[in-house]
Amino acid sequence: MRLSELQIGKKAIVVKVLGRGAFRKRIIEMGFVRGQEVVAELNAPLRDPIKFKIMDYEVSLRRSEAALIEVVTEEETSSIVSPASHGTTTEEFSYVRAAEVKGKTINVALVGNPNCGKTSLFNIASGANEHVGNYSGVTVDAKAGHFDYKDYRINIYDLPGTYSLSTYTPEELYVRRYLNTEMPDVIVNVVVASNLERNLYLTTELIDMDYSMVVALNMYDELQKSGAKLDYKLLGDMVGVPMVPTISRTGKGIDELFDTVIDVYEHRNKSVRHVHVNHGPAIESAVNELKQELRNNKTTLKYSPRYLALKVLENDKEVMNMLSDSKNFDKLNTLSAKLRTQVEQTLQEDIEQAVANEKYGFISGALKETFEEGKEDMRNVTRVIDSLVTNKVVGIPIFIILMFLMFEATFVLGAYPMEWIETGVALLSSWLHGVMSPGPLKDLLIDGIIGGVGGVIVFLPNILILYLFISLMEDSGYMARAAFIMDKAMHKIGLHGKSFIPLVMGFGCNVPAIMATRSIESRSSRLITILINPFISCSARLPVYILFIGTFFVKHVGWAFMILYMAGIAVAFITAKLLRRFYFKEDETPFVMELPPYRIPTFKATCRHMWSKAEQYLRKMGGIILVASVVVWALSYYPKADVQGELTPQQEAEQQANSYMGHIGRAISPVLEPLGFNWKITVALISGTAAKELIVSTLGVLYAGGEDEPEKLSAKLTQPDPVTGEADFTPLIAATFLVFVSLYVPCIASITAVAKEAGSWKWGAFSVLYNTFVAWSCAFLVYQIGSLFM
């Protein structure tokens, strides 16, 4: 806890002092060091400041100052350390020991440009399973992990990739706010070693903020392969930040990195010193004047005064808003405007450009002393590949062919393990048929659980193959090229290429794809991309597609998949065009996105990604799909007809029709009858609003009963209904059903993501109503037109 939270009369032990600069130095000199006991004695009449007792003398601190001192209380001691385990039971020992344990917890924030390998480093250090994508916008929130290393507990946070700490993108604003509010003990600034000039710009901004920092020179093997040489020890000494070469995808250098983090945390590293990035006489003079004004206002407690002064000079909206409540803000604002005008007139350029130029000048000067260019150009391979995959003639056909191969392989390669799992499920069902006596329990296990969950779990191999292709495209760098080649087409519908990445990510899952829209700077483009994303067929729809395409369109598998996926994309594009035309104003935000060099995806990273998705899928099997299957079975099983012995197929059909589920389905089915759907199909679609996989599990339950020897669900879908004498599904009804499933209401998780990311539940409601209307209209056209020819 923080010292400002300590109740009057209570005592605590100091763990660490946060903050930086003069404040931290002064507080430590006053005795607030690890292991010292401090007592909160009394509040001032207005509850601020607070009087504390430490080292037998009294000191007054404001609450804002006390909030920067971390302490441990008696109540926290028992949960942190067990005194008995250390050979003593004295209260004093356990109390001090708790402070030592807490003091050996280091909060580390990973900060760096997109594509610099932060998430790879995070995964290998913490053992987490965060996916790594070789394009901007993968990490859209802070991800937390922890691990123990040499008697220290390292809490590690993977922050979004950002090129700077301005407020141009949501990532930049998020990172800056995180650093200012959470105040990590050490920042690990991850930079691409083979592209130092661009990456070190962010480093100079972090230097301005005056945080304890270590630079990880990641992908150092690429620098070495190019023949370049870097004296990273001298470079670290020059900028006052230790530097460590790392290769995060293999783990090389990770131990050395965290050894350095510990040394910096414990103030043992000799390279650490605060260096001012010199911005030239005109800017430095203005910064010094603003620093003095900020100190007079006492607004530099949590922030580096130099950093604040630079941002005030730049008229940074976030900083100006933060300072707006401070004393004499009007005077500060007037002074900054005056100084800004003077600097711009002197340098004949705007202040942001002037600051950037000086920072790049500082970087260039440091690299001239420490860096020697290599003879081999490592981007030659990238240029050769780009000349083909981004070619104006063959670029788009290559993309379409890759999509076709992905869908074809998902079905064809997945058919073999899928058949093995189907055989295992059928054998289990047959075995239970033979060993269990007739009754509700037997029916629940065979028709409810095995018919529902077993009907969905067989599609796990197909899901894994789909994610294998997506992972390879992301990790190799091709996904960024897909955005590049689609930029013109996206511009025609009022978006730009960066919106294409969340759409392609939607092939995997709409929820993270919707969250990935945070990397889009324009609010209107972000909102449109969020709203059209549910039209992209996610992997949850894949079991439905495989079941029906494999049953009714087996001779045209690849084309059937392509038509479904492309139809969803077409509807998304039309919707985007309509939203831009009638609701949102035109967006002229420029398309700026890095095209990273191509990299060979590692086997370990690809397997980690696939296992992560398999784990999520299996958890869903044991969670929502299991529960929903049991509920659907119970509603279709009861009320039970009073018939002795096994039911005939016709009696089974009548039993289901008169069940609770039958009543629900028949009540709603008039809405869907124009599409050729009966009550069973209606019920399956209703269950699919929770999760699209439930469509298959519900059909598995509703079509499960009546056979001593279990058949595949695909065979049951084509059998005539015992009552009507006709099959519930024909090729035309199957096609209509697939169109409806591909477009109708998103799952609950997607609706929640839409509402959260769009900032209002009205957009979630819009997604439900609009998507369902579009799905019904398109399916109606397919069925009615198809009926004329079939």
Side-chain angles (χ1 to χ4, degrees):
M1 67 181 292
R2 301 296 172 86
L3 185 58
S4 57
E5 302 170 45
L6 188 64
Q7 295 181 6
I8 299 302
K10 296 287 186 177
K11 65 180 180 179
I13 295 291
V14 175
V15 174
K16 67 177 77 166
V17 179
L18 306 174
R20 61 190 58 77
F23 164 77
R24 188 174 187 278
K25 184 173 184 295
R26 177 168 60 89
I27 285 293
I28 291 174
E29 289 171 348
M30 293 173 67
F32 287 87
V33 293
R34 186 189 305 166
Q36 282 296 330
E37 183 179 273
V38 58
V39 180
E41 295 205 321
L42 61 88
N43 289 316
L46 298 179
R47 293 186 54 78
D48 202 10
I50 310 170
K51 185 173 78 170
F52 296 99
K53 183 178 180 181
I54 187 168
M55 289 186 171
D56 291 326
Y57 77 99
E58 295 173 342
V59 59
S60 172
L61 294 177
R62 293 192 185 93
R63 286 189 178 274
S64 58
E65 295 172 330
L68 297 177
I69 302 173
E70 187 176 334
V71 297
V72 60
T73 63
E74 292 178 278
E75 291 76 11
E76 294 176 295
T77 300
S78 59
S79 64
I80 297 171
V81 61
S82 172
S85 66
H86 298 281
T88 179
T89 57
T90 64
E91 178 185 350
E92 181 182 359
F93 181 88
S94 61
Y95 204 18
V96 174
R97 177 62 182 165
E100 291 177 357
V101 171
K102 286 278 283 183
K104 288 202 169 188
T105 299
I106 309 176
N107 297 314
V108 175
L110 301 180
V111 180
N113 290 182
N115 311 314
C116 69
K118 285 185 299 78
T119 305
S120 293
L121 195 153
F122 174 84
N123 284 339
I124 203 161
S126 67
N129 293 317
E130 295 303 334
H131 178 47
V132 183
N134 192 8
Y135 60 91
S136 172
V138 176
T139 310
V140 292
D141 208 340
K143 295 176 176 64
H146 63 82
F147 60 98
D148 295 321
Y149 183 75
K150 294 188 176 180
D151 294 330
Y152 287 84
R153 165 58 61 95
I154 311 288
N155 295 324
I156 186 168
Y157 303 90
D158 180 19
L159 302 185
T162 175
Y163 293 106
S164 71
L165 295 176
S166 63
T167 56
Y168 181 64
T169 68
E171 290 99 334
E172 292 170 350
L173 188 57
Y174 181 92
V175 171
R176 200 165 80 178
R177 286 177 176 173
Y178 183 93
L179 296 178
N180 286 334
T181 56
E182 299 300 323
M183 290 185 292
D185 298 312
V186 180
I187 291 174
V188 172
N189 177 208
V190 186
V191 306
V192 178
S194 58
N195 194 357
L196 288 172
E197 190 165 11
R198 205 278 315 281
N199 279 248
L200 287 176
Y201 183 86
L202 178 60
T203 308
T204 63
E205 293 198 303
L206 293 169
I207 289 172
D208 289 336
M209 296 183 82
D210 194 19
Y211 280 101
S212 295
M213 184 164 61
V214 178
V215 169
L217 297 167
N218 204 27
M219 306 178 197
Y220 201 75
D221 53 333
E222 293 184 5
L223 180 144
Q224 292 174 318
K225 286 176 185 175
S226 72
K229 294 180 181 179
L230 174 68
D231 188 342
Y232 58 85
K233 179 70 171 64
L234 176 58
L235 180 61
D237 290 340
M238 289 174 67
V239 301
V241 180
M243 299 189 174
V244 181
T246 61
I247 308 172
S248 58
R249 61 189 177 87
T250 65
K252 187 174 181 180
I254 302 299
D255 285 350
E256 292 81 357
L257 175 66
F258 286 101
D259 285 339
T260 308
V261 166
I262 291 171
D263 285 344
V264 169
Y265 175 72
E266 297 290 4
H267 308 288
R268 296 193 296 249
N269 192 286
K270 295 179 181 178
S271 295
V272 175
R273 62 191 180 95
H274 183 52
V275 174
H276 285 174
V277 177
N278 193 301
H279 293 88
I283 295 176
E284 289 297 327
S285 175
V287 166
N288 289 332
E289 198 168 338
L290 287 171
K291 275 169 60 178
Q292 187 57 50
E293 183 60 32
L294 286 165
R295 287 196 177 101
N296 293 340
N297 282 320
K298 299 186 177 175
T299 54
T300 61
L301 180 64
K302 291 175 65 175
Y303 310 98
S304 160
R306 181 176 176 80
Y307 163 74
L308 282 182
L310 271 168
K311 291 302 174 184
V312 169
L313 186 62
E314 292 175 342
N315 199 30
D316 183 282
K317 290 181 180 178
E318 177 81 0
V319 167
M320 297 305 283
N321 184 58
M322 181 184 72
L323 297 174
S324 60
D325 293 332
S326 64
K327 186 175 66 174
N328 298 329
F329 172 73
D330 290 341
K331 180 182 177 183
L332 177 68
N333 197 18
T334 302
L335 177 62
S336 68
K338 173 189 167 187
L339 293 171
R340 186 161 50 252
T341 301
Q342 289 177 357
V343 170
E344 290 179 345
Q345 288 176 347
T346 301
L347 300 178
Q348 292 297 298
E349 60 184 349
D350 65 84
I351 190 68
E352 290 85 0
Q353 183 67 47
V355 170
N357 286 342
E358 294 297 341
K359 286 185 182 297
Y360 277 117
F362 173 83
I363 294 167
S364 178
L367 291 178
K368 279 182 180 178
E369 299 289 329
T370 58
F371 181 71
E372 182 181 325
E373 286 279 1
K375 295 180 180 179
E376 186 175 347
D377 187 352
M378 296 301 291
R379 295 191 69 96
N380 273 340
V381 174
T382 293
R383 292 192 190 98
V384 171
I385 298 174
D386 272 348
S387 67
L388 181 65
V389 301
T390 64
N391 184 276
K392 65 179 180 180
V393 177
V394 300
I396 292 178
I398 286 174
F399 174 71
I400 293 173
I401 290 169
L402 286 175
M403 292 294 103
F404 179 84
L405 289 174
M406 179 173 75
F407 301 137
E408 183 78 11
T410 297
F411 185 89
V412 175
L413 296 181
Y416 299 102
M418 177 181 169
E419 191 171 325
W420 303 334
I421 299 174
E422 276 185 329
T423 302
V425 170
L427 288 173
L428 176 60
S429 184
S430 296
W431 178 74
L432 287 175
H433 259 293
V435 300
M436 294 188 70
S437 302
L441 179 59
K442 178 181 178 181
D443 293 340
L444 169 62
L445 291 175
I446 295 174
D447 298 339
I449 295 176
I450 296 178
V453 177
V456 180
I457 202 169
V458 297
F459 299 105
L460 177 60
N462 309 89
I463 301 287
L464 291 179
I465 292 170
L466 177 69
Y467 272 106
L468 169 65
F469 276 86
I470 293 175
S471 175
L472 293 176
M473 285 194 295
E474 289 176 349
D475 295 351
S476 66
Y478 178 75
M479 195 73 86
R481 272 70 185 182
F484 175 78
I485 63 177
M486 292 300 294
D487 178 57
K488 189 169 184 179
M490 299 297 286
H491 189 71
K492 294 287 186 185
I493 62 171
L495 299 174
H496 57 59
K498 193 175 276 192
S499 295
F500 191 67
I501 288 176
L503 298 183
V504 177
M505 287 179 69
F507 288 147
C509 180
N510 293 139
V511 175
I514 290 167
M515 294 174 67
T517 60
R518 295 180 193 174
S519 64
I520 302 170
E521 293 85 2
S522 164
R523 173 165 171 75
S524 63
S525 291
R526 190 161 64 249
L527 270 173
I528 293 173
T529 309
I530 288 169
L531 294 174
I532 67 175
N533 204 287
F535 287 119
I536 305 303
S537 292
C538 63
S539 61
R541 294 181 175 101
L542 192 60
V544 185
Y545 295 172
I546 292 171
L547 174 63
F548 282 86
I549 291 173
T551 303
F552 297 97
F553 311 104
V554 70
K555 292 182 179 180
H556 308 286
V557 169
W559 288 112
F561 272 109
M562 279 292 289
I563 290 169
L564 276 176
Y565 279 85
M566 291 304 157
I569 293 172
V571 171
F573 282 12
I574 293 169
T575 300
K577 186 69 175 177
L578 292 173
L579 287 170
R580 181 64 75 188
R581 174 71 177 82
F582 295 106
Y583 192 83
F584 296 101
K585 295 180 181 178
E586 284 298 319
D587 179 24
E588 296 299 330
T589 304
F591 174 50
V592 181
M593 191 182 75
E594 180 186 4
L595 293 177
Y598 288 100
R599 296 188 175 97
I600 299 175
T602 63
F603 178 77
K604 184 177 181 181
T606 303
C607 288
R608 181 189 284 131
H609 185 208
M610 292 173 65
W611 168 245
S612 173
K613 297 306 174 185
E615 195 176 30
Q616 290 176 21
Y617 194 70
L618 292 172
R619 273 203 297 265
K620 193 182 281 188
M621 295 302 102
I624 185 173
I625 290 177
L626 174 61
V627 173
S629 297
V630 171
V631 170
V632 170
W633 171 85
L635 291 174
S636 63
Y637 191 79
Y638 294 104
K640 186 71 174 169
D642 188 16
V643 178
Q644 298 297 321
E646 292 283 340
L647 298 177
T648 65
Q650 185 168 350
Q651 289 173 326
E652 182 78 26
E654 291 174 352
Q655 152 71 28
Q656 283 192 337
N658 293 319
S659 67
Y660 297 123
M661 188 62 79
H663 288 299
I664 294 170
R666 287 203 302 274
I668 302 172
S669 60
V671 179
L672 298 178
E673 279 178 0
L675 311 181
F677 300 165
N678 66 6
W679 72 266
K680 288 185 180 180
I681 302 174
T682 301
V683 167
L685 291 171
I686 293 169
S687 67
T689 59
K692 293 298 179 278
E693 297 97 336
L694 288 176
I695 294 173
V696 174
S697 67
T698 300
L699 292 173
V701 172
L702 295 177
Y703 288 90
E707 300 290 338
D708 290 333
E709 290 299 323
E711 295 180 88
K712 293 181 180 179
L713 178 55
S714 58
K716 294 177 182 178
L717 295 178
T718 59
Q719 291 177 349
D721 185 276
V723 177
T724 64
E726 297 180 358
D728 290 346
F729 287 97
T730 63
L732 176 57
I733 294 175
T736 306
F737 183 75
L738 286 172
V739 169
F740 191 87
V741 169
S742 69
L743 300 175
Y744 87 121
V745 55
C747 67
I748 291 173
S750 294
I751 296 169
T752 304
V754 167
K756 180 182 176 184
E757 296 303 317
S760 171
W761 276 99
K762 76 174 183 180
W763 293 115
F766 171 84
S767 190
V768 171
L769 297 174
Y770 177 77
N771 289 36
T772 304
F773 169 76
V774 169
W776 192 95
S777 302
C778 293
F780 178 80
L781 290 174
V782 170
Y783 183 69
Q784 296 301 326
I785 295 172
S787 297
L788 299 176
F789 301 97
M790 298 178 66

